[in-house]
């Protein structure tokens, strides 16, 4: 455990400095386009981004996805992200709180509630840890540390294979996830980390009591690529290259999961960069659109740059809604104006 802080800082550095995106695979959003509505019968300033997620009212259908925590730099980034999310009404997730559950001195790097008193906050733990001694008590501790409204358990099987410190005991996890869902008083969700969740998996998770699913599809950050840069093992570094195009595109995941689990709360994330991407994610069936690595560099740089990016995403989303005549997020989700491009 002694190297946890160093690993977290190294992950941040690699995501900023190296080519860690998937190669030969895209989000799939480029396969869809909105049919423009020249007569929207709507005033632009009437377009509303307000929505509800798992009973919580939010000012936007946008999420700062789980990214970091566990080091001094990560704590500073989380503080800046939380302050921006509070100002603009975005929901926020934090990176895996495992480090702080195991080492209490790291808890302040995840304690974002003090910076964001009103928005939904999602605590985060690796689901695989449920096979390595973690249970409901540790999950509740993670929620308490972040001051969170809900918990997400992340699935990162391929990352664990290539991570030098990886845990690969993924057997029997569904039953353990179900136990946590039953034991915790807050909603429990499951997310991938960039390779996507398919419809069949979503159905099994929903049957196990999972309240929300974050597809975290392919087309953005590839954590096999990230871990490739960390590995000193030439065999594993070479093997990681074979998985640069691995995963299910984000757009495909959203459609599948919405069809398979129509009553689940759904987050569409994985490679989103613009408000138009967010609009497509929502129109395909997501309740929230999540942004991750696209926010990291501005969050490291300055409050002003981060605010400018969040404002731009909101403007793009609102303009896309105006462009199809959707005045509410509900109207966007039910629009017939998102069509698949002709090949």
């Amino acid at each position: 455990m002694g190297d946890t802080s160093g690993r977290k800082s190294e992950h941040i550095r690699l995501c900023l400095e190296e080519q860690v995106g998937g190669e030969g695979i895209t989000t799939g959003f480029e396969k869809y386009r909105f049919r423009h509505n020249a007569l929207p019968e709507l005033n632009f300033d009437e377009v509303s981004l307000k929505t509800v997620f798992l009973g919580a009212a939010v000012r936007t259908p946008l999420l700062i996805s789980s990214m970091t925590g566990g080091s001094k730099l990560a704590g500073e980034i989380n503080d800046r992200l939380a302050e921006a999310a509070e100002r603009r009404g975005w929901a926020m997730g934090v990176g895996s709180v495992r480090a702080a559950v195991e080492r209490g001195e790291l808890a302040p790097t995840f304690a974002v509630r003090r910076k964001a008193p009103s928005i939904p906050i999602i605590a985060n733990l690796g689901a695989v840890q449920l096979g390595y001694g973690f249970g409901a008590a540790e999950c509740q501790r993670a929620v308490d540390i972040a001051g969170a409204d809900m918990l997400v358990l992340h699935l990162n099987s391929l990352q664990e294979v290539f991570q030098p410190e990886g845990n690969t005991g993924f057997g029997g996890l569904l039953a353990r996830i179900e136990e946590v869902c039953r034991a915790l008083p807050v909603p429990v969700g499951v997310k991938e980390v960039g390779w996507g969740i398919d419809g069949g998996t979503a159905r099994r998770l929903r049957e196990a009591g999972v309240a929300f699913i974050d597809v975290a599809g392919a087309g953005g950050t590839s954590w096999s690529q990230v871990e490739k840069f960390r590995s000193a093992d030439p065999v594993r570094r070479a093997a990681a290259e074979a998985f640069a195009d691995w995963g299910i595109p984000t757009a495909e995941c959203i459609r599948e999961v919405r069809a398979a689990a129509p009553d689940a709360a759904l987050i569409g994330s994985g490679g989103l960069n613009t408000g138009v991407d967010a609009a497509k994610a929502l129109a395909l069936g997501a309740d929230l659109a999540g942004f991750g690595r696209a926010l990291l560099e501005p969050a490291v740089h300055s409050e002003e740059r981060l605010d400018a990016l969040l404002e731009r995403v909101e403007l793009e989303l609102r303009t896309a809604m105006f462009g199809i005549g959707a005045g509410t997020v509900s109207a966007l989700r039910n629009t017939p104006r998102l069509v698949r491009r002709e090949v």
Side-chain angles (χ1 to χ4, degrees):
M1 275 300 300
D3 63 348
T4 299
S5 292
R7 183 168 76 248
K8 299 299 183 182
S9 294
E10 192 174 8
H11 281 159
I12 293 169
R13 181 187 65 78
L14 291 171
C15 286
L16 289 171
E17 297 178 2
E18 301 289 350
Q19 172 51 47
V20 295
E23 297 178 2
I25 192 167
T26 68
T27 63
F29 289 129
E30 76 284 354
K31 296 179 180 179
Y32 295 87
R33 65 180 178 85
F34 286 106
R35 286 178 57 82
H36 177 63
N37 183 349
L39 186 61
E41 291 287 359
L42 178 70
N43 298 327
F44 181 72
D45 58 8
E46 294 173 351
V47 176
S48 173
L49 299 184
K50 293 180 180 178
T51 191
V52 175
F53 184 73
L54 288 174
V58 284
R59 283 182 280 154
T60 76
L62 301 168
L63 166 73
I64 295 176
S65 294
S66 301
M67 278 190 280
T68 195
S71 71
K72 182 177 183 296
L73 173 60
E76 293 169 356
I77 293 170
N78 273 342
D79 281 352
R80 185 167 284 165
L81 289 169
E83 290 166 351
E86 178 70 21
R87 282 192 298 271
R88 305 211 63 89
W90 291 41
M92 180 181 174
V94 296
S96 174
V97 191
R98 173 191 170 192
V101 172
E102 295 178 331
R103 292 177 54 190
E105 69 272 19
L106 297 177
T109 70
F110 297 96
V112 295
R113 178 58 77 192
R114 58 194 167 80
K115 299 288 186 179
S118 71
I119 62 168
I121 290 174
I122 307 174
N124 175 20
L125 282 175
V128 72
Q129 296 308 317
L130 300 178
Y132 290 84
F134 272 43
E138 288 77 15
C139 290
Q140 184 62 55
R141 176 64 179 145
V143 170
D144 294 341
I145 287 170
D149 306 281
M150 57 199 84
L151 172 72
V152 72
L153 298 169
H154 68 259
L155 300 172
N156 64 334
S157 54
L158 267 65
Q159 181 187 8
E160 297 289 349
V161 169
F162 292 108
Q163 184 170 277
E165 312 88 349
N167 299 128
T168 54
F170 275 72
L173 273 189
L174 186 61
R176 293 187 173 100
I177 290 171
E178 183 171 6
E179 290 173 5
V180 172
C181 291
R182 293 180 184 277
L184 259 61
V186 298
V188 176
V190 168
K191 74 183 297 291
E192 237 287 347
V193 300
W195 290 293
I197 293 176
D198 65 86
T201 301
R203 189 179 297 111
R204 288 188 292 143
L205 290 168
R206 188 71 179 121
E207 291 170 353
V210 167
F212 66 99
I213 295 169
D214 183 342
V215 300
T221 303
S222 167
W223 282 92
S224 56
Q225 293 289 90
V226 175
E227 297 299 347
K228 174 190 72 177
F229 289 108
R230 295 188 62 240
S231 179
D233 181 342
V235 172
R236 286 179 183 260
R237 286 179 66 97
E241 284 292 335
F243 293 87
D245 65 350
W246 191 269
I248 309 169
T250 299
E252 187 177 330
C253 290
I254 295 170
R255 289 190 63 188
E256 278 198 31
V257 172
R258 178 48 74 213
D263 61 339
L266 176 57
I267 298 171
S269 72
L272 276 68
N273 287 296
T274 72
V276 179
D277 291 339
K280 290 179 180 180
L282 296 164
L284 286 167
D287 296 298
L288 296 181
F291 288 76
R293 186 161 56 96
L295 307 182
L296 184 58
E297 190 278 334
V300 170
H301 186 273
S302 70
E303 175 184 318
E304 292 75 18
R305 186 175 292 185
L306 178 60
D307 261 358
L309 179 54
L310 300 190
E311 182 179 3
R312 191 206 80 201
V313 168
E314 292 170 27
L315 175 60
E316 291 164 347
L317 172 56
R318 188 176 278 111
T319 303
M321 293 169 65
F322 184 57
I324 62 171
T328 65
V329 173
S330 177
L332 172 60
R333 288 202 196 98
N334 293 293
T335 184
R337 303 192 75 89
L338 183 72
V339 296
R340 193 172 177 92
R341 291 180 184 270
E342 296 180 4
V343 178

